[in-house]
Amino acid sequence: MASVRPYLHSPRNNNYIFRAGSFIFRLAVPIPHPLKRRSFCSNASPSRLCLPCSASLSNMDSVAGQGLYPLHRCKTLHVVRHAQGFHNVAGEKDHDAYLSYDLLDASLTPLGWEQVDNLRKHVHASGLSKKIELVITSPLTRTMQTAVGIFGGEDYTDEIDVIPLMVENAGNSGRPAVSSLNQPRILAVELCREILGVHPCDKRRSISEYKLLFPAIDFSLIESDEDILWKEDIRESNEDVAARGMNFMKWLWTRKEKEIALVSHSGFLYNTLNQFGNDCHPSVKSEMCKHFTNCELRSLVFVDRGMIGSYSTTTNYPGKVPHGADLPSDFANQKQHLENESKA
C-alpha cells in the first residue's frame, strides 16, 4: 500500500489534512501542555519532585507559593505564649503535678518575669510597641502578668491620674505596680484560655478578684464572675479546643484594630494555629504552628479571603480625579507635534 502524506498542516492546533484518492481526512496530534511537567509544588518537600498540581493559569500564584491580598483585608497578629509559670516547672518534673490544687491559677516564676523583661526590651527596640493598637489576653494570672509586663507602661506612681494595669505584688510577684498611661487597651477574652478542665492551673479566679489585682484590664466581655467553663472531671478535647480557637479567630476579625497582640497558652495556640497553613509548604506551616516556648513571640498576617470584614481601605486611591473622558488620540498627537516643534 502506497504511503499517504499530508498536504496541509495547521501548527496552531497540530492538525494534519490527508488526501487518499477521493477521500480527505484529518488527524489531530495532541500538543504537550506546558504546565504538564514535573515540578515542585507547595505540598511537597523541595528535596524531591512530585506529580503536578491540578492548577490552571488562573491560580499559578498558588503553585508558585505566593499570593497577593488587599491590605485592608489583612490584620497583623503578634502572638505570645505566657512566660514560665510555677506549673511549668512542677509539670516538667512530674506530670501528675498538674493535678495539684497548689498550682491553682499558677502565676509567673522569677525566671518568668525575667523572660517578660527581655521580651519587653525586644518589643520596644523593634518598634513594635508603637504599632500595637490592642492587646488581648487570656484571663488567667500568668497571661495577664505577661501581657502587662510586656505591653504595659512604666512603674506606676500615685501622682499619675490613671488607674494601674497591675497593682504592686499582684499574684505574689514582688513586682511594682504598672502604669496604664498611654498604653494600648488590654482586653481579657475567655475564648483564648488554655485547655479547660482537670488541671487546676488552668482554672481562673473570680473576675472580682482579678479586678483588684489588674484594675485597668478590661473584663467587660466576660459574663460570669466565677469560672463556669472549667470542669474538675472533664478535660477539653483537642478538637474542641480547635473549634473554640476558630470561633476566637472569627470574633477577632470583627475587631476594627489592624495590629493586635495576643497573649495566650501553648495548648490553645497549637490547636488553633494548626487549623491554618494547609495550603502552605510544610516548612512554612511548621514555622507557624509548632509549639510555642515560654514568652515566645511570632508575628502573623491574618487574611480575610471570604469577604468577612466590611472595612474599607484607608490607603487605596481611586485615580483619575477629577473624573472625565480620556483625551482623544488626535489631540494627543497634536500636543506631541507642538512639543517636537518647540524643541526644534
Side-chain angles (χ1 to χ4, degrees):
M1 180 177 179
S3 62
V4 180
R5 295 183 179 182
Y7 78 96
L8 181 63
H9 171 228
S10 174
R12 182 175 180 180
N13 52 19
N14 222 26
N15 285 344
Y16 291 86
I17 307 299
F18 295 85
R19 179 188 296 273
S22 61
F23 297 98
I24 298 177
F25 59 94
R26 182 182 67 179
L27 176 63
V29 180
I31 303 174
H33 196 285
L35 293 181
K36 292 183 178 180
R37 64 184 68 179
R38 292 194 170 201
S39 62
F40 293 109
C41 70
S42 60
N43 59 0
S45 168
S47 62
R48 65 181 180 88
L49 292 172
C50 69
L51 292 177
C53 300
S54 56
S56 65
L57 288 174
S58 63
N59 62 1
M60 277 299 291
D61 58 340
S62 63
V63 176
Q66 299 174 337
L68 292 174
Y69 298 96
L71 180 62
H72 67 286
R73 300 199 179 278
C74 302
K75 294 181 187 291
T76 304
L77 188 59
H78 306 284
V79 183
V80 179
R81 181 194 174 191
H82 65 79
Q84 185 192 69
F86 283 101
H87 67 302
N88 295 134
V89 177
E92 287 180 3
K93 295 178 180 178
D94 179 10
H95 190 270
D96 290 340
Y98 288 120
L99 302 175
S100 173
Y101 275 85
D102 292 337
L103 296 172
L104 176 68
D105 186 28
S107 59
L108 298 185
T109 66
L111 177 60
W113 278 108
E114 184 178 338
Q115 294 170 345
V116 167
D117 291 338
N118 289 335
L119 182 51
R120 178 184 177 85
K121 293 176 184 176
H122 168 76
V123 165
H124 281 266
S126 64
L128 188 57
S129 59
K130 298 179 181 179
K131 299 178 181 180
I132 292 176
E133 304 167 66
L134 175 70
V135 178
I136 297 173
T137 181
S138 160
L140 285 138
T141 297
R142 59 188 180 271
T143 42
M144 291 189 289
Q145 287 177 326
T146 301
V148 167
I150 296 170
F151 302 106
E154 302 299 330
D155 292 351
Y156 177 83
T157 63
D158 294 334
E159 298 175 359
I160 301 176
D161 190 22
V162 294
I163 58 176
L165 279 169
M166 185 180 77
V167 301
E168 183 180 0
N169 197 36
N172 298 316
S173 62
R175 304 279 290 197
V178 176
S179 172
S180 62
L181 184 65
N182 299 324
Q183 299 306 308
R185 177 186 178 194
I186 299 183
L187 179 64
V189 177
E190 293 262 47
L191 279 173
C192 61
R193 285 176 58 176
E194 181 59 296
I195 301 174
L196 297 165
V198 180
H199 295 172
C201 58
D202 301 325
K203 178 178 172 60
R204 71 164 171 82
R205 303 177 191 273
S206 69
I207 298 301
S208 300
E209 186 175 351
Y210 283 148
K211 286 181 177 180
L212 297 176
L213 301 176
F214 304 95
I217 288 183
D218 186 347
F219 296 97
S220 61
L221 294 183
I222 300 179
E223 299 178 355
S224 174
D225 187 52
E226 298 296 330
D227 188 356
I228 61 175
L229 300 177
W230 186 90
K231 307 296 182 183
E232 185 176 21
D233 56 345
I234 301 176
R235 184 73 170 164
E236 191 177 21
S237 69
N238 290 337
E239 291 76 16
D240 287 341
V241 177
R244 174 161 59 90
M246 293 306 292
N247 287 333
F248 170 78
M249 299 299 276
K250 291 177 182 177
W251 167 83
L252 186 64
W253 192 260
T254 66
R255 303 293 312 182
K256 64 180 181 180
E257 297 87 358
K258 292 295 186 180
E259 296 263 354
I260 301 174
L262 168 64
V263 183
S264 188
H265 308 263
S266 176
F268 174 81
L269 295 176
Y270 179 77
N271 284 288
T272 299
L273 294 180
N274 260 286
Q275 304 307 302
F276 298 90
N278 293 322
D279 55 348
C280 298
H281 188 281
S283 62
V284 175
K285 180 176 175 67
S286 175
E287 179 183 351
M288 179 171 60
C289 304
K290 65 182 179 181
H291 281 286
F292 278 68
T293 59
N294 285 124
C295 221
E296 179 181 356
L297 180 150
R298 294 181 206 160
S299 296
L300 307 171
V301 177
F302 188 23
V303 177
D304 173 18
R305 296 180 177 178
M307 296 289 288
I308 299 172
S310 59
Y311 305 112
S312 59
T313 176
T314 59
T315 58
N316 289 3
Y317 185 73
K320 200 178 181 182
V321 177
H323 293 286
D326 290 331
L327 293 176
S329 59
D330 56 344
F331 181 88
N333 292 336
Q334 181 181 6
K335 182 179 178 181
Q336 183 64 45
H337 178 70
L338 293 174
E339 289 178 353
N340 294 335
E341 285 187 344
S342 65
K343 293 179 181 179

